[in-house]
Amino acid sequence: MRNDAARLLGPPARFEASKLKVLFLGEEIGKPTRIVPRTYTLSHCDFTANLTLTISNIIPRDQLKGWYNKDDVVAEWTKVNGDLFLNVHCYVSGPNPLSAMAAEFRYHIFSKELPLVLEAVLYGDSDLFREHQELMDALVRVYFHSSSNKYNRMECWGPLKDAAMGKGVDNINAYISASKETSHAPKLWGSIFQALVTFLL
């Protein structure tokens, strides 16, 4: 909790490429030709500030446990009616009372550090974005998963090129109607991520 407090009170962390390790899982995932399915799992070490980005076409079960128990962030490319979206998933809180008390705290930390997450994705999967520059215009949808109705929400952060620079924070109000239209938990049926979460829970 002490590390979380420092992260919340201090400025947003700056992305340092030298601290990022990139892992590609799957035979074809290292080739920048296929966008969907494509998933990202970003984990970090509080002591060294090192980051690990795993790129794959599925989310390994052991890494999903890191998302559920720690501060890992998971993202996946999805296509809806011909349009590509980058869906980002952050675990804010579960049914545990202590976890619920920290929901607001964790929500603000994830919101503050999201640009760093997106920078890591852009750098780690640079071949894909070089091959498909149109992805920079894809909308980023952030799903905050929480047992609290207040923080169980989806926010649209705008185009990836803006969200990665932190401009998504300013643009949330312009896109927030998408979140208000879904008053219940985000519906992710059909995604790889939802299938794994359902399996674990």
Side-chain angles (χ1 to χ4, degrees), residues 77-90:
W77 285 106
T78 61
K79 180 176 282 190
V80 180
N81 296 327
D83 294 324
L84 284 165
F85 297 86
L86 182 62
N87 292 342
V88 181
H89 303 277
C90 304

Side-chain angles (χ1 to χ4, degrees), residues 8-181:
L8 181 60
L9 296 174
R14 295 181 60 183
F15 173 69
E16 298 180 44
S18 62
K19 290 184 175 292
L20 178 67
K21 178 181 179 181
V22 181
L23 301 175
F24 289 92
L25 298 182
E27 295 181 0
E28 300 293 325
I29 201 65
K31 300 178 181 179
T33 55
R34 190 172 184 178
I35 302 173
V36 178
R38 199 176 191 89
T39 70
Y40 308 97
T41 303
L42 185 70
S43 59
H44 76 280
C45 175
D46 285 331
F47 300 105
T48 64
N50 289 337
L51 301 170
T52 300
L53 179 69
T54 303
I55 305 173
S56 62
N57 53 16
I58 62 170
I59 301 174
R61 182 178 175 181
D62 58 337
Q63 290 187 342
L64 188 64
K65 289 181 179 179
W67 173 84
Y68 189 70
N69 296 323
K70 299 186 293 184
D71 298 330
D72 292 2
V73 176
V74 171
E76 61 177 342
W77 285 106
T78 61
K79 180 176 282 190
V80 180
N81 296 327
D83 294 324
L84 284 165
F85 297 86
L86 182 62
N87 292 342
V88 181
H89 303 277
C90 304
Y91 179 75
V92 175
S93 67
N96 186 302
L98 293 178
S99 177
M101 290 174 61
E104 181 177 9
F105 201 61
R106 290 173 58 80
Y107 167 80
H108 287 296
I109 289 175
F110 281 124
S111 296
K112 190 176 84 167
E113 303 297 346
L114 185 63
L116 179 144
V117 173
L118 298 176
E119 280 190 83
V121 169
L122 290 174
Y123 184 88
D125 209 5
S126 57
D127 286 345
L128 176 75
F129 293 103
R130 192 177 299 114
E131 184 77 16
H132 300 280
Q133 297 183 18
E134 70 277 8
L135 294 179
M136 298 301 293
D137 293 317
L139 292 180
V140 176
R141 302 189 296 192
V142 186
Y143 291 86
F144 295 96
H145 299 262
S146 174
S147 57
S148 166
N149 289 334
K150 181 178 181 180
Y151 298 108
N152 193 56
R153 57 193 294 177
M154 185 274 281
E155 295 177 354
C156 184
W157 278 50
L160 177 57
K161 61 185 178 185
D162 292 338
M165 297 177 64
K167 294 180 180 180
V169 177
D170 300 324
N171 292 338
I172 284 177
N173 288 334
Y175 296 100
I176 202 67
S177 59
S179 175
K180 290 182 178 178
E181 289 174 0

